[in-house]
Amino acid sequence: MGTVTTPDGTTLFYKDWGPRDAPPVVFHHGWPLSGDDWDNQMLFFLAHGYRVIAHDRRGHGRSSQSPTGHEMDTYAADVAVLTDALDLRDAVHIGHSTGGGEVTRYVARAERGRVGKAVLVGAVPPVMVKSDSNPGGLPVEVFDELRAALAANRAQFYIDLPSGPFYGFNRPGAEVSQGLIDNWWRQGMAGAANAHYECIKAFSETDFTEDLKAIDVPVLVAHGTDDQIVPYADSAPLSAELLRHATLKTYEGFPHGMLATHPDVLNRDILEFVKS
C-alpha cells in the first residue's frame, strides 16, 4: 500500500500486490466506492501470477478529499500520475461503471507502451444522459434525483442503492448478500460527499465517443442485460461499435454489480481475455 501526490497536491491511495516484474493489472472502481471493491478480482489475478494495483479515486476511500478535480479529465490525469510513478508498462486496465469511463479516457490519452489491453465492465461510455445525439440515454432528471438523495441523507441512500438495483437484489428470487450491502455502504461513507455529488455529473454527462474511437489496444466490453444502473442497450453495444478492437461479452440477466454477484464467471472470462 502507498500513496502518490498529484500536481494539485491531492494524495492518492493505492494498493500494489505481487511481484514487481509480473504483468500489471490496474483496477478502477465505480462510484462512490474505493479500490476495496476489487478485492475478489485482485486476489484472483494475484493467484494467477499478476501484479495487481487498485487506487482510490480522489475524494473516494482513503485518498484526499480534494475540493476540485471531480471530473474525467482530472481522473485520467491522476491515473497517469500513478502509472508513471509505478512505471507500469503494457498494463491491463480494468474499469467498472464510472471506473470504465476513467479507463476509457486514460487509455485514449496514455503514453504509448503504457497500456496493453483494457476491460470495461458495466461501464458508463459512450454517454449516459439523454440528449438529441443520444436519444436512448437516461433523462437528466434521473441524475438530479441521485444528487437530491445524496444531499438529503447520504447514509440512507448508500443503503438503499446496493440493497436494490445495484446488485439486482430488488428482483424476485434474488439471493441477497447483507455483506455486499454493508461493504458498499462502508466504502461509500469513507469518501467525501462533495466528490460523490460532483462525480454524478462526471459519470452521467461525459461523452466518451472520441476517446473510444482513439483507443488502439484490444478492449473487452462486458455488460449484464439486467443492469439497472447503466442500461445495456445504450452502453456496451455502442461502445463496442466505436472501438477499433472490441470484444463484446453480454451476460444475460446479470446486474450492474455482477463482478461481486458472479465473480466466478467474470474472473474467468476476464483472465481468458487478458491471456489471449
Side-chain angles (χ1 to χ4, degrees):
M1 296 185 292
T3 60
V4 295
T5 303
T6 68
D8 71 351
T10 298
T11 300
L12 302 176
F13 173 92
Y14 68 91
K15 296 182 280 190
D16 183 0
W17 305 341
R20 294 301 177 264
D21 59 350
V25 179
V26 185
F27 297 93
H28 304 247
H29 65 81
W31 170 95
L33 305 174
S34 72
D36 289 354
D37 203 43
W38 290 104
D39 282 353
N40 183 292
Q41 285 70 37
M42 290 184 71
L43 291 171
F44 176 83
F45 277 88
L46 182 67
H48 282 82
Y50 291 87
R51 176 184 180 184
V52 293
I53 298 132
H55 69 291
D56 294 355
R57 190 172 300 118
R58 63 168 58 216
H60 295 65
R62 291 142 293 198
S63 291
S64 292
Q65 298 196 2
S66 56
T68 59
H70 308 297
E71 32 73 26
M72 284 295 165
D73 285 347
T74 302
Y75 294 160
D78 287 349
V79 175
V81 170
L82 176 64
T83 56
D84 288 354
L86 300 180
D87 195 25
L88 302 181
R89 302 283 176 178
D90 203 31
V92 177
H93 285 264
I94 304 177
H96 175 239
S97 196
T98 299
E102 180 178 275
V103 167
T104 300
R105 181 136 298 179
Y106 166 72
V107 172
R109 301 178 178 187
E111 174 189 335
R112 184 161 295 278
R114 291 288 186 198
V115 180
K117 293 181 179 180
V119 180
L120 307 178
V121 183
V124 298
V127 60
M128 287 192 71
V129 73
K130 183 177 182 178
S131 65
D132 292 341
S133 60
N134 184 41
L138 295 171
V140 69
E141 288 79 11
V142 171
F143 305 106
D144 289 340
E145 290 173 2
L146 295 181
R147 282 182 277 261
L150 188 155
N153 189 341
R154 185 167 68 128
Q156 184 61 49
F157 180 43
Y158 286 2
I159 294 173
D160 296 341
L161 197 57
S163 297
F166 192 92
Y167 294 116
F169 291 159
N170 56 342
R171 296 307 197 200
E175 184 177 340
V176 177
S177 168
Q178 190 62 45
L180 284 181
I181 296 168
D182 292 348
N183 192 43
W184 204 102
W185 184 91
R186 176 190 68 84
Q187 292 177 74
M189 293 305 294
N194 68 313
H196 294 172
Y197 188 94
E198 293 177 24
C199 187
I200 294 172
K201 180 180 178 68
F203 75 64
S204 64
E205 297 184 28
T206 303
D207 189 338
F208 297 97
T209 299
E210 296 306 315
D211 302 284
L212 293 164
K213 291 179 181 179
I215 293 173
D216 61 1
V217 299
V219 181
L220 172 64
V221 182
H223 216 105
T225 60
D226 194 32
D227 192 322
Q228 300 173 68
I229 306 299
V230 182
Y232 174 85
D234 196 55
S235 52
L238 304 184
S239 290
E241 289 178 7
L242 292 166
L243 289 159
R244 301 183 201 179
H245 309 289
T247 299
L248 176 61
K249 188 88 174 173
T250 301
Y251 296 87
E252 187 64 35
F254 281 23
H256 187 62
M258 63 184 181
L259 284 159
T261 59
H262 299 81
D264 52 334
V265 177
L266 270 296
N267 292 353
R268 180 195 64 216
D269 289 351
I270 294 171
L271 177 63
E272 181 180 345
F273 171 77
V274 170
K275 293 173 67 175
S276 65

